[in-house]
Amino acid sequence: MSEAAEPAEAYPSFNAFFTRPLKPGARPLADANDQVLSPADGAISEIGAIANGRMVQAKGRDYTVAALLAGNAEAADRFEGGRFVTIYLSPKDYHRVHMPADGTLCSARYVPGDLFSVNAVTAGGVDGLFARNERLACLFDTPLGTMASVMVGAMIVAGVETVWSGRVAPHGRSVIEEAIPQNLRLSAGDEMGRFYLGSTVILLFEPGRVEWLPDLKPGGTVRMGQALARRL
């Protein structure tokens, strides 16, 4: 609470408390001119390269980029040979998701699905977890090419909200292309959305664009705004 912008009694609901903003300057930003910023506070579930259209979910388990993006094969092909990172936000973490780089929103695809927990134990035991859970897959045009930021729902998560359309309401069983504002551009460090309770955000980058910093490993913690990668 020492980092929160308001005292505990200022929040009218539990959800307002969970999504509370931080005081200005609580998360200093690394230099986005040559680095990629962490989009959130949390723990790195997995980090590495995309190979043969697949990403590591946990030791011994992987899943496809196409499945994560709800069958968007054209978008998935752009990331072949690229880089990914999966960041888990626990209930104790700051619950807002920010931009790792400057970007213009190209699409936001809501994907219905399950609401499995996304902690390390479940990630190690449920095949295709992140491609099975409810999620919002957003594509941005950035100086680093196309970037995907995928907000994955989870057990007890009461919703996902974006800065451009507000609360994302479940749409039943169909994949939906969300209506997006024209020419919406967000700067590195700007808020993109928020989770109502903890969950996971997955970033994807095209090949030859970023190089993860060598000290980042699965299980390590990150804070929003710190450097994750060097821009190539």
Side-chain angles (χ1 to χ4, degrees), residues 50 53-57 61-65 68 84 202 204:
I50 299 166
R54 307 188 74 86
M55 299 178 292
V56 175
Q57 174 180 300
R61 296 184 186 274
D62 60 14
Y63 63 108
T64 68
V65 176
L68 180 69
F84 81 94
I202 301 171
L204 310 177

Side-chain angles (χ1 to χ4, degrees), residues 35-214:
Q35 296 172 314
V36 174
L37 311 185
S38 174
D41 287 9
I44 296 174
S45 296
E46 288 292 342
I47 186 169
I50 299 166
N52 300 316
R54 307 188 74 86
M55 299 178 292
V56 175
Q57 174 180 300
K59 186 176 181 180
R61 296 184 186 274
D62 60 14
Y63 63 108
T64 68
V65 176
L68 180 69
L69 301 180
N72 189 340
E74 180 184 355
D77 286 346
R78 298 179 205 168
F79 299 114
E80 176 58 34
R83 297 292 181 266
F84 81 94
V85 63
T86 304
I87 299 173
Y88 167 64
L89 291 70
S90 75
K92 68 178 175 59
D93 289 315
Y94 171 57
H95 280 47
R96 301 193 179 197
V97 177
H98 294 250
M99 291 291 290
D102 297 346
T104 299
L105 181 63
C106 299
S107 69
R109 175 175 281 198
Y110 164 80
V111 189
D114 298 315
L115 289 173
F116 289 111
S117 172
V118 290
N119 61 30
V121 173
T122 313
V126 177
D127 285 334
L129 173 64
F130 302 122
R132 291 171 62 178
N133 268 17
E134 183 174 299
R135 56 202 180 277
L136 185 70
C138 303
L139 297 178
F140 291 89
D141 181 25
T142 80
L144 298 165
T146 302
M147 177 192 77
S149 179
V150 183
M151 297 176 68
V152 183
M155 183 173 63
I156 311 177
V157 174
V160 171
E161 184 174 309
T162 65
V163 297
W164 56 84
S165 64
R167 193 74 168 264
V168 178
H171 299 294
R173 298 176 179 273
S174 300
V175 174
I176 299 292
E177 291 286 348
E178 297 279 336
I180 60 173
Q182 189 173 15
N183 298 321
L184 175 68
R185 185 180 182 279
L186 298 172
S187 297
D190 284 352
E191 182 184 346
M192 174 195 140
R194 61 190 72 168
F195 285 115
Y196 288 84
L197 208 62
S199 199
T200 289
V201 59
I202 301 171
L203 300 180
L204 310 177
F205 292 95
E206 292 183 1
R209 301 289 189 165
V210 305
E211 180 179 57
W212 299 126
L213 299 183

